[in-house]
Amino acid sequence: ISVYVDFVAHDGEAVYAVVGTVLHSFAFGFDPLSDKGMEGIDTFQTDRVARAVDKAEGMLAAMSDAVKRAGDRKSETRVAEFQTSVRDMLRTVENDPRDLTTARKYLTVYLQGARDATGKFADIYARARDGKAREDYFGLLDDLQENFTAKTRSLLNDDTTDLEVEIEVLRDRLKREGLRPEETR
């Protein structure tokens, strides 16, 4: 009897360990940190968006660094206002990765141009405090900000249009099946 009790006491722990491992594997898989293939998530698209957002944020940071060289508080405030409109577009693209293709020109070409112009403006203004240069630079930021805001609005409207089309298609299907909206409520 003593041998049996000793066997159960030590091997019972092993049984619990094996059962625990099997249950854990069924619940979480063999690698709990691996992608579980969440439905509806396109990792390729989300990775593309993340890279684009990181790159854009890097350009915005470079703009902030550059405008500080100018030593002009008003210019720093104006750049921050422009950056807010860019970040609105970034949040819109993050919420709907399909918008990245449409917004790519803004987040690369136009944003790079703004970054480069900011660097040149900062160098000129730091040396000469040229009011004309600041006025021209602010005009550029105004134009860019208006375009970024309009494009962001356009992206949001496209999302609304997609919803309206989806609703219309579903209503048409219900009509073809002989159901009326009053009957479905």
Side-chain angles (χ1 to χ4, degrees):
I1 289 186
S2 134
V3 172
Y4 178 72
V5 171
D6 193 38
F7 172 75
V8 170
H10 292 293
D11 289 335
E13 295 168 4
V15 170
Y16 284 122
V18 168
V19 169
T21 302
V22 169
L23 291 175
H24 182 272
S25 296
F26 281 127
F28 302 109
F30 290 108
D31 182 5
L33 298 178
S34 70
D35 181 17
K36 298 299 176 209
M38 293 172 41
E39 192 171 325
I41 304 293
D42 183 354
T43 57
F44 176 73
Q45 286 286 51
T46 54
D47 289 346
R48 281 182 60 217
V49 168
R51 284 191 304 273
V53 168
D54 288 346
K55 187 175 179 181
E57 286 289 351
M59 286 189 265
L60 293 175
M63 285 180 72
S64 294
D65 292 342
V67 79
K68 287 177 185 173
R69 292 194 315 257
D72 180 44
R73 176 81 84 193
K74 193 171 182 179
S75 297
E76 290 178 32
T77 301
R78 185 61 194 93
V79 166
E81 291 170 6
F82 169 71
Q83 290 174 331
T84 299
S85 64
V86 173
R87 286 190 174 104
D88 288 344
M89 179 180 281
L90 293 175
R91 299 302 83 81
T92 301
V93 170
E94 284 178 326
N95 289 333
D96 187 355
R98 296 173 300 170
D99 291 337
L100 179 60
T101 303
T102 306
R104 186 171 296 281
K105 182 176 18 171
Y106 286 84
L107 299 178
T108 56
V109 176
Y110 296 149
L111 194 53
Q112 284 175 344
R115 179 200 61 199
D116 296 346
T118 301
K120 290 175 184 171
F121 161 74
D123 293 340
I124 291 169
Y125 197 77
R127 277 182 280 147
R129 294 285 185 221
D130 184 351
K132 173 84 167 95
R134 185 167 86 166
E135 184 180 313
D136 290 345
Y137 176 65
F138 283 10
L140 170 68
L141 288 180
D142 289 342
D143 292 344
L144 287 171
Q145 186 170 356
E146 284 177 27
N147 283 299
F148 269 84
T149 301
K151 189 59 172 179
T152 301
R153 228 179 283 125
S154 169
L155 294 172
L156 292 171
N157 286 341
D158 287 347
D159 290 345
T160 304
T161 303
D162 290 347
L163 174 63
E164 290 170 359
V165 167
E166 189 70 30
I167 289 170
E168 192 61 35
V169 166
L170 289 172
R171 284 186 176 153
D172 288 345
R173 285 184 183 167
L174 287 172
K175 285 179 185 175
R176 275 186 269 147
E177 291 180 13
L179 298 175
R180 294 194 177 124
E182 302 83 39
E183 294 173 9
T184 59
R185 290 184 190 160

